[in-house]
Amino acid sequence: MEMSKLRIQRHLEQLAEYTATPGQGTTRMSYSEQDKQARNYLKQQMCQLGLQVREDAIGNIYGRLEGSEPNLPAVIIGSHFDSVPHGGAFDGPAGIVCGLDIIARIREQQLQPRYPIEVIALVEEEGTSFGRGLMASSVITGLIGTKELYQLKDRQGVSAAKRMAEAGFNADKADEAILNPSQVKAFLELHIEQGPILEQVQEDVGIVDTIVGIAQLEVKLNGKAGHAGTTPMNMRSDALVCASHIIGQIPAIAIAAGDGTVATVGRLNVLPNGANVIPSEVIFSVDIRSKNDKALRQTIERIIDLVEQASRQSAIQSDVIQPLYVPPTVLNENIHQLMVQHAAQQGLQYRTMVSGAGHDTMIFAGITQTGLIFVPSRNGLSHHPDEWTDYEQIVRGVDVMFATARSLAEC
Ligand code: HGY
Ligand code: MN
Ligand code: MN
């Protein structure tokens, strides 16, 4: 599908232009200037494909191809268009571009689906802006709403609701963005693997059956600022020393939980952050994943206990919040089989896989049947400027997704 490859390349190269860090990867925060540029591009492309385009109250973009029976539930295909700081050009956009290319192929082949098909571009999947991953899909599936959007804050202390308002959206109407499960037939996502397996085994696609459970914690430690030179060591309440003691023990807790459980401290803020000032406050994130829910919960509990114990021993105030918890999610067996069947019919090399990364698919699984296809990542690299997938590899993933969408939408 030469045309398909050129279309996919054009979209991904254009979207990669919308970054706050040109030459240093994709940095596209929800509701930022870069979000607006990508949003305008995606809406323009959806219009050119003759889709009915709309944005919901929190900024998700929908492009709808009407079915011959408009009242039937829609097959939704898409992913997210926000990024991590200095991330790659494929994480998220590959799934949206997959949806666009499926519509382009339907137009080219003059097909008419019986069920409506909707391409969706989701905001705030990464959680970089407001510290809660899978945010937009959680709103539209009814897991969180207006209250949480006022509580979730960015690093400047501004709420997600305010940032939405600045971008022309309205958190007070978040309930109007909630999807009616009876109007959704399935959610399908194509995503880069973000790991090394498909490349190592030289296979074309991964068909995901399980997504690991995810928890995100935010730990706040409060000590006492003081002069670095004049405060004796036995008279300090140093929040950073306490944090270091805690963080150093987290890997062992994850390893002890077994089943491939992982835990990561990716973000750490020190206040007042002066070289000659004893740190008074430290805030750090803990991202925990496991395919075993018991291991996930055990890890969360042990880290919370560790924080309480360490802070008590060093006269530090501690507070732990848990903005996100999603249990391990098994995806729909029927769609999995459909994808396997189409991959086999197309003569592709494929395997069933567990996803160590979280995806909006796991949230949609709460309201509808879902399917997730992986395409290979070069060197297994992701959340990095050098993230790369060959366009031909994406085309093969889209080929399977197109056949799956045609089966589900009956076209
Ligand atoms: O963090 C994740 O697993 C995904 O990239 N948001
Ligand atoms: Mn990501
Ligand atoms: Mn992603």
Side-chain angles (χ1 to χ4, degrees):
M1 299 286 284
E2 190 51 24
M3 264 304 284
S4 184
K5 180 191 160 195
L6 292 178
R7 282 193 297 252
I8 288 167
Q9 180 172 350
R10 172 170 57 85
H11 289 320
L12 289 172
E13 286 178 349
Q14 190 58 49
L15 286 166
E17 293 293 314
Y18 308 132
T19 172
T21 53
Q24 296 171 337
T26 299
T27 301
R28 187 164 54 236
M29 299 298 118
S30 300
Y31 313 114
S32 65
E33 183 53 32
Q34 293 74 36
D35 164 300
K36 193 170 154 193
Q37 294 166 339
R39 176 182 299 283
N40 289 339
Y41 176 79
L42 289 168
K43 291 192 291 185
Q44 180 201 44
Q45 296 305 313
M46 289 176 173
C47 284
Q48 283 181 9
L49 286 165
L51 298 178
Q52 298 163 31
V53 182
R54 71 181 179 93
E55 287 167 303
D56 67 15
I58 64 169
N60 297 309
I61 311 168
Y62 293 80
R64 183 180 174 94
L65 173 67
E66 204 47 273
S68 56
E69 296 186 39
N71 298 327
L72 289 177
V75 175
I76 302 180
I77 308 168
S79 191
H80 62 96
F81 65 106
D82 64 308
S83 78
V84 296
H86 301 284
F90 298 80
D91 175 2
I96 300 170
V97 168
C98 170
L100 294 177
D101 203 64
I102 284 171
I103 301 296
R105 294 180 188 202
I106 287 173
R107 292 297 192 208
E108 260 171 358
Q109 299 174 33
Q110 295 172 346
L111 301 172
Q112 169 56 57
R114 179 167 168 247
Y115 288 77
I117 296 176
E118 293 202 347
V119 180
I120 190 170
L122 292 150
V123 295
E124 199 55 9
E125 185 272 348
E126 297 289 4
T128 306
S129 303
F130 308 106
R132 197 246 191 234
L134 308 167
M135 190 190 85
S137 49
S138 296
V139 171
I140 63 177
T141 56
L143 291 179
I144 61 173
T146 300
K147 181 169 72 70
E148 288 82 5
L149 296 177
Y150 277 95
Q151 289 168 343
L152 290 167
K153 304 275 178 29
D154 65 15
R155 281 190 215 162
Q156 289 72 40
V158 177
S159 69
K162 179 116 178 30
R163 291 299 185 207
M164 286 175 184
E166 289 168 355
F169 302 109
N170 186 351
D172 297 329
K173 297 192 170 180
D175 58 331
E176 295 175 13
I178 298 175
L179 296 172
N180 175 346
S182 68
Q183 286 305 297
V184 183
K185 178 169 190 187
F187 176 76
L188 305 175
E189 184 172 15
L190 177 142
H191 205 284
I192 54 172
E193 178 198 338
Q194 299 181 295
I197 297 169
L198 289 174
E199 183 181 62
Q200 274 170 0
V201 297
Q202 299 285 308
E203 288 173 357
D204 301 305
V205 296
I207 301 172
V208 176
D209 64 350
T210 308
I211 302 178
V212 295
I214 299 184
Q216 288 174 341
L217 305 179
E218 182 163 284
V219 180
K220 185 185 275 187
L221 300 172
N222 283 102
K224 189 159 168 278
H227 195 295
T230 57
T231 312
M233 292 310 286
N234 65 350
M235 292 175 68
R236 297 182 176 211
S237 292
D238 185 328
L240 186 53
V241 167
C242 182
S244 317
H245 179 71
I246 293 164
I247 293 167
Q249 297 186 62
I250 287 176
I253 292 174
I255 293 164
D259 265 315
T261 303
V262 292
T264 312
V265 176
R267 183 162 38 82
L268 182 139
N269 297 331
V270 180
L271 294 174
N273 210 25
N276 56 354
V277 182
I278 299 167
S280 57
E281 181 175 284
V282 168
I283 299 173
F284 63 87
S285 62
V286 190
D287 175 303
I288 310 161
R289 318 270 175 113
S290 184
K291 62 178 182 243
N292 174 327
D293 196 35
K294 188 165 170 286
L296 181 61
R297 290 172 181 276
Q298 173 189 304
T299 304
I300 295 168
E301 281 156 27
R302 287 192 173 171
I303 289 173
I304 292 173
D305 288 349
L306 170 63
V307 170
E308 283 164 2
Q309 189 190 11
S311 50
R312 220 179 10 254
Q313 284 166 354
S314 36
I316 296 278
Q317 295 300 316
S318 65
D319 179 47
V320 182
I321 59 170
Q322 182 179 300
L324 177 68
Y325 172 84
V326 185
T329 306
V330 177
L331 305 188
N332 181 272
E333 177 56 27
N334 297 335
I335 292 190
H336 185 87
Q337 283 314 316
L338 203 51
M339 290 177 162
V340 164
Q341 177 197 320
H342 286 305
Q345 280 167 359
Q346 293 174 16
L348 298 180
Q349 300 299 312
Y350 63 88
R351 65 174 43 213
T352 290
M353 297 179 78
V354 172
S355 173
H359 299 287
D360 289 311
T361 297
M362 70 200 297
I363 301 298
F364 275 88
I367 65 161
T368 189
Q369 50 182 350
T370 55
L372 175 59
I373 288 179
F374 279 167
V375 290
S377 290
R378 187 173 63 190
N379 303 325
L381 200 55
S382 181
H383 286 186
H384 186 284
D386 294 343
E387 178 183 281
W388 180 265
T389 298
D390 290 343
Y391 297 116
E392 295 83 358
Q393 292 173 317
I394 298 176
V395 169
R396 285 193 281 275
V398 177
D399 290 347
V400 178
M401 195 62 97
F402 180 42
T404 305
R406 289 186 65 177
S407 301
L408 291 168
E410 296 180 17
C411 72

